Amino acid sequence: MSDQATRPVASAAKSLPKKAAFDFRKYRPFAFAPLLPDRTWPSKTLEKSPIWASVDLRDGNQALIDPMTIEQKMRFFETLVEVGFKEIEIGFPSAAQVEFDFARKLIEENHVPDDVTLQVLVQAREHLIARTFESLKGAKRAIVHVYNSTCRIQREKVYGKDKDEIKEIAITGAKLLVEYAAKYPETEWVFQYSPESFSQTETEYAVEVCDAVCDVWQPENGQEVILNLPATVEASTPNVFADQVEYFCRNLAKREHVTISLHTHNDRGCAVAAAELGVLAGADRIEGTLLGNGERTGNMDIMVMAMNLFSQGIDPELDFSNMSEIVQVVSECNNLPVHPRHPYIGELVFTAFSGSHQDAIKKCLDYNEKHIEETENVWDVAYLPIDPAHIGRSYQDVVRINSQSGKGGVAYILQRNYGFNLPRWMQIDFSGVVQKQAETAARELQNDEILQTFEDTYLQQGSFELLDYTVNNKGGKVYFNGQVQMNGDTINIDGTGNGPLSSFIDGLAQHTGKSIHVINYAEHAINPQHSDVNSDGNGIDDGTNTDNKTNANAAAYIQLNVDGEVYSGIGTCSSTVSAMLKGALSAFAQAVNTAAA
C-alpha cells in the first residue's frame, strides 16, 4: 500500500480559513428617530391613491448590469403610459449621451402625451443643470429633480462639510433651477428637491434645508414644488420612517404649498410598508419602480403598493389588468427574472399546494357561485386576497398537486378543469390515490396526469363493458335486462329492483354469486365546456341504448360494498341512467380485478 493511501487526511476545519466573527456589536441602533409622542398616523387608514411617479427609466435603469438601450427605454416608456402613469422619470440626461438622446427622442418625435409629465434627475452642479435643461427643450411640462446628500455620514466622511455648507449646496442648486428655467419659458417647469438620504438625516435638519430651498422657489407665489424624501438607505423600521415623515410635514414652513413625495428603498425588505405608512403620515406622492428593481435590494414596488390598495377596494388609478404583458416588458427590458413568489405576479402566488388551503379555496369558490346575491359579488375567498382574473390570471394554476395536497385540491382541479364535481366520499378515496402517485413521482403532478389517473382508476372498466340494456316498470317493480361483457365473455344480466340501479345490481349479484350493496351514489350534469371528457355515448334516458352521441352530459359516482370490501366507480354518458349503470360496473370491475390480483 502506498504512502499516499495511508497518509492521514487533514481535517476540513484545519484546511479552511477561519471565518470572521459574526459580531452584532459592530452595529448601533438607528439614531435619527424624531421625538413624536403625539404621532397621528397610526390611527389613520388609506382611503385614496397617492400621486404615482415611475422611476424605472432612471433609478431602475441605473441598477442594471446592462443599462437599457434607447429602444428598450422607449418600449418601457410606452408601457408606463399605458398603465396610467402621469409622471415618469426618464433618466439622468447629464450623466450619459444615451440618456440625453432618449429625452430628445421623446420630445422631438412627440411621444409624450399631453397629460404625461417628464421628470429628470440632476445633481446640484451648474454644468449638469445646464445640460439637463438643454435635454428638455421643447417639452410642454417637465419636472427637474435636483438633489444633494444631507445625512451625517456623507457630510462628515464624503464631503467634509458642516451643516451650513451642505445647506448652501441645496440653496445654490435651487437658484440655478430658477435661473435656467427662465431661459426656456415655453415649458411649464416643476421644481423638485431631494435631501438625499433623508432617512439617515436628522429630521429637523432636513426640514431646515427644505425650508431654505422653498425660500428660493417661493411655492406660495405659484411655483409648483415637490419635496421628495428618500429612504436612500432603508435603515429603520417603517414606523420610524413614518414618524420622520409626519415630523417633516408638521414642521415645514410652507407645507400647504408643496407636494410631499417619498422614495423608499428596500434594504430591510420594508419599502412598501414604509411608503404606505409614509402616506398615512402625510405624504402626497410616491416614487418607485414596477416590480421593485433598483439599487441594492431594490426600490419600492409600485405594482405591489397599487395592488394593495386595489385589494382594499381603493382605485389605484393605475391599470394592471393586463399584468402578464406588463411583467414581460419589465423582465425583458431589465433582463431580470421574476421570482415565482413575487407578490401578485409571481408564477406561484395564487397557487396552493397545501391540502387545507386547497380545500378552503374550493369551498369558498363553490359557496360564492351558489350565493351570488348573498355575497353581492364581493370577492371573499380564503387564501386569495384578490381575484386572479382581475390581473389576467386564470384559475388553472390556483390549485396544483404534490404530495402535500389533499382531497380539496384534487377535487378542485377535476371540477374546474374537467367538470367532475366529486362527492366528499369520492374526494377522500381519490386523494389517497393521488398522494401515493405524487410521493412516488417526488414532484408536482400536472393536471393531465391527474385526469389520466382519475380515468384509469374509476372510468376505465378494462374488459368490463355495458353493451346493451332495457329497463321496464311492471307492477311497481323495475326489471333490468341487458348484456355485459366480462373478460371477453358476453353475459346476460337480469335483475329486479325499485329502480334501474338496484335491478342492475341484483342481476350482477345473481350472476356472480357475490354480495353487492350500494353504499353511496351521486350524479350531476357536466358543464358543456367539459362534455367531451371520456364519453362513448352508451345509453339514453329511456334505457333503449340506441343513440351514439359523443358528448358526456352526465356523471354518476357509485360506491359499492362487494363481499365486505368497498370499491368506487364513475360512469359518464349522455344518459343519466347509462352513466349510473356504467359507474356501478366500474366499481364492480375493480372488485373483480382486485380479487383476481
Side-chain angles (χ1 to χ4, degrees), residues 252-385:
L252 186 72
K254 300 175 181 179
R255 170 64 184 98
E256 68 271 22
H257 301 294
V258 304
T259 297
I260 301 298
S261 177
L262 305 179
H263 183 118
T264 57
H265 278 248
N266 205 39
D267 299 85
R268 293 169 57 94
C270 301
V272 171
E276 290 178 331
L277 297 189
V279 171
L280 294 178
D284 312 298
R285 180 178 183 267
I286 294 294
E287 291 188 351
T289 62
L290 295 180
L291 312 194
N293 173 47
E295 294 287 1
R296 304 182 307 281
T297 54
N299 276 31
M300 206 291 298
D301 189 331
I302 286 184
M303 184 278 299
V304 170
M305 184 172 174
M307 291 305 301
N308 287 351
L309 294 174
F310 181 83
S311 71
Q312 299 299 306
I314 300 171
D315 182 1
E317 298 180 10
L318 296 174
D319 184 1
F320 290 111
S321 59
N322 196 15
M323 188 71 83
S324 59
E325 289 190 16
I326 296 168
V327 172
Q328 183 177 357
V329 169
V330 175
S331 59
E332 289 180 357
C333 289
N334 287 343
N335 195 26
L336 291 173
V338 176
H339 195 283
R341 296 291 183 184
H342 190 108
Y344 296 105
I345 54 90
E347 178 188 357
L348 299 178
V349 295
F350 295 116
T351 298
F353 289 104
S354 163
S356 61
H357 290 202
Q358 294 172 346
D359 186 59
I361 290 171
K362 179 183 183 299
K363 288 177 178 176
C364 286
L365 292 173
D366 289 346
Y367 181 94
N368 290 351
E369 286 182 5
K370 296 175 182 177
H371 301 82
I372 294 178
E373 292 184 3
E374 178 183 329
T375 60
E376 297 179 344
N377 205 29
V378 173
W379 185 256
D380 187 29
V381 175
Y383 301 111
L384 294 178

Side-chain angles (χ1 to χ4, degrees), residues 294-490:
E295 294 287 1
R296 304 182 307 281
T297 54
N299 276 31
M300 206 291 298
D301 189 331
I302 286 184
M303 184 278 299
V304 170
M305 184 172 174
M307 291 305 301
N308 287 351
L309 294 174
F310 181 83
S311 71
Q312 299 299 306
I314 300 171
D315 182 1
E317 298 180 10
L318 296 174
D319 184 1
F320 290 111
S321 59
N322 196 15
M323 188 71 83
S324 59
E325 289 190 16
I326 296 168
V327 172
Q328 183 177 357
V329 169
V330 175
S331 59
E332 289 180 357
C333 289
N334 287 343
N335 195 26
L336 291 173
V338 176
H339 195 283
R341 296 291 183 184
H342 190 108
Y344 296 105
I345 54 90
E347 178 188 357
L348 299 178
V349 295
F350 295 116
T351 298
F353 289 104
S354 163
S356 61
H357 290 202
Q358 294 172 346
D359 186 59
I361 290 171
K362 179 183 183 299
K363 288 177 178 176
C364 286
L365 292 173
D366 289 346
Y367 181 94
N368 290 351
E369 286 182 5
K370 296 175 182 177
H371 301 82
I372 294 178
E373 292 184 3
E374 178 183 329
T375 60
E376 297 179 344
N377 205 29
V378 173
W379 185 256
D380 187 29
V381 175
Y383 301 111
L384 294 178
I386 68 165
D387 184 347
H390 278 144
I391 56 172
R393 296 284 291 271
S394 71
Y395 289 100
Q396 183 174 354
D397 290 332
V398 167
V399 170
R400 287 160 65 173
I401 303 301
N402 62 14
S403 60
Q404 302 299 309
S405 304
K407 63 183 183 300
V410 174
Y412 175 89
I413 285 179
L414 290 174
Q415 178 183 355
R416 291 283 168 173
N417 295 347
Y418 307 111
F420 290 104
N421 189 9
L422 272 61
R424 180 175 174 80
W425 50 268
M426 179 64 78
Q427 293 178 28
I428 295 171
D429 191 90
F430 187 48
S431 66
V433 175
V434 171
Q435 186 172 35
K436 289 180 181 178
Q437 182 184 7
E439 289 174 348
T440 301
R443 60 171 173 80
E444 176 190 353
L445 299 182
Q446 301 303 309
N447 290 352
D448 57 351
E449 293 179 292
I450 295 169
L451 176 63
Q452 188 62 56
T453 300
F454 180 70
E455 292 181 345
D456 291 346
T457 304
Y458 302 112
L459 282 162
Q460 304 293 345
Q461 292 89 33
S463 58
F464 287 68
E465 183 180 355
L466 179 65
L467 299 175
D468 194 8
Y469 69 88
T470 60
V471 289
N472 296 290
N473 294 298
K474 292 180 181 179
K477 292 186 177 181
V478 176
Y479 296 87
F480 177 92
N481 176 262
Q483 291 76 46
V484 174
Q485 188 177 75
M486 294 185 185
N487 297 322
D489 297 326
T490 299

Side-chain angles (χ1 to χ4, degrees), residues 73-93:
K73 292 189 84 171
M74 181 60 70
R75 182 186 179 197
F76 210 134
F77 178 83
E78 291 171 348
T79 298
L80 294 171
V81 171
E82 289 176 3
V83 169
F85 285 96
K86 303 304 179 185
E87 297 181 1
I88 301 174
E89 189 168 80
I90 59 170
F92 207 139

